[in-house]
């Protein structure tokens, strides 16, 4: 499978919930804990013949002091921290569960929509500029977690990628 140019995508919420049921480390989008209005947005990278969505998250105060690591990367606009990539929360995806985000500004956009698109444009420009490093980091983490000597703390922070791949494969077979 060939790595494509990075774009931003929304994930299908039902699919994310199905993954969360299999592995509770998957970011919740449950309406019961008031997360249903939060979109699951990310970029798509190829890891071992699977497409994975690496989620973007809003920059929070705690992220300012956090250092980039094998499972985490900060995104900057100049010197301003604008968001983060959570490699530990990446999930396997199929094209039927993702929708490319339209970043074209429109005169019909509300102020909030226009501001969100402008932020997304800055994020994707940064990601594209750093695409090789992002894809390399995603694959490094993917393979590292399969090794027996992998840190227990890292395993606790990360989704169980193989378990989630099995869930995806079952859902795809069910849809056939």
């Amino acid at each position: 499978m060939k790595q494509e140019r990075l774009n931003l995508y929304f994930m299908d919420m039902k699919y994310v919930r199905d993954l969360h049921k299999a592995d509770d480390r998957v970011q919740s989008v449950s309406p019961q804990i008031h997360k249903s209005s939060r979109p699951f947005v990310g970029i798509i990278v190829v890891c071992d013949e699977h497409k994975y969505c690496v989620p973007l998250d809003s920059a929070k105060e705690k992220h300012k002091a956090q250092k980039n690591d094998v499972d985490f990367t900060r995104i900057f606009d100049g010197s301003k921290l604008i968001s983060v990539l959570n490699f530990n929360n990446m999930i396997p995806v199929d094209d039927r569960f993702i929708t490319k985000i339209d970043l074209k500004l429109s005169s019909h956009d509300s102020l909030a929509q226009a501001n969100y698109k402008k932020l997304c444009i800055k994020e994707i420009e940064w990601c594209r500029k750093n695409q090789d490093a992002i894809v390399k980091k995603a694959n490094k983490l993917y393979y590292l977690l399969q090794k027996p000597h992998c840190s227990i703390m890292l395993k606790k922070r990360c989704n169980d990628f193989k378990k989630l791949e099995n869930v995806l494969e079952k859902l795809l077979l069910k849809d056939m």
Side-chain angles (χ1 to χ4, degrees):
M1 191 177 306
K2 186 175 179 271
Q3 176 66 52
E4 296 176 9
R5 183 174 185 231
L6 296 179
N7 286 297
L8 288 178
Y9 294 87
F10 288 120
M11 297 301 108
D12 178 86
M13 290 300 172
K14 182 182 179 323
Y15 173 66
V16 175
R17 283 188 204 107
D18 288 344
L19 293 179
H20 181 77
K21 287 176 193 169
D23 182 353
D24 63 4
R25 291 171 289 197
V26 173
Q27 287 180 322
S28 178
V29 290
S30 171
Q32 287 82 14
I33 53 175
H34 311 293
K35 302 271 179 141
S36 61
S37 62
R38 179 183 75 183
F40 193 111
V41 173
I43 56 173
I44 305 298
V45 298
V46 175
C47 293
D48 190 35
E49 298 305 312
H50 285 90
K51 288 184 179 181
Y52 267 83
C53 176
V54 180
L56 276 162
D57 200 4
S58 306
K60 296 175 182 61
E61 193 61 37
K62 68 178 183 177
H63 295 137
K64 290 180 181 176
Q66 224 173 327
K67 301 283 185 230
N68 288 343
D69 204 347
V70 69
D71 63 338
F72 173 82
T73 295
R74 300 180 303 165
I75 296 175
F76 289 90
D77 178 27
S79 61
K80 182 182 178 193
L81 178 65
I82 57 172
S83 57
V84 298
L85 286 168
N86 288 313
F87 292 87
N88 59 314
N89 291 326
M90 63 185 190
I91 58 172
V93 295
D94 183 78
D95 289 344
R96 69 188 79 182
F97 301 121
I98 60 177
T99 305
K100 187 176 173 184
I101 298 175
D102 178 12
L103 297 178
K104 290 185 181 115
L105 293 169
S106 162
S107 59
H108 302 299
D109 290 340
S110 69
L111 181 60
Q113 288 170 318
N115 287 337
Y116 180 71
K117 286 181 179 181
K118 288 175 186 173
L119 173 63
C120 287
I121 289 167
K122 289 176 183 177
E123 291 169 336
I124 198 60
E125 285 174 349
W126 187 95
C127 289
R128 286 176 178 159
K129 195 182 311 177
N130 295 280
Q131 177 166 330
D132 290 343
I134 289 169
V135 172
K136 186 176 179 180
K137 184 180 270 196
N139 278 275
K140 179 179 180 180
L141 178 64
Y142 180 86
Y143 289 111
L144 183 63
L145 287 169
Q146 295 175 45
K147 295 186 177 186
H149 65 274
C150 181
S151 154
I152 291 171
M153 290 306 293
L154 182 60
K155 282 187 176 188
K156 283 183 178 182
R157 283 197 313 265
C158 295
N159 292 339
D160 185 334
F161 302 140
K162 289 298 182 184
K163 181 189 274 186
L164 298 178
E165 286 173 8
N166 290 332
V167 171
L168 172 60
E169 288 169 18
K170 285 178 185 170
L171 287 171
L172 295 176
L173 286 173
K174 193 167 82 173
D175 285 351
M176 291 180 118

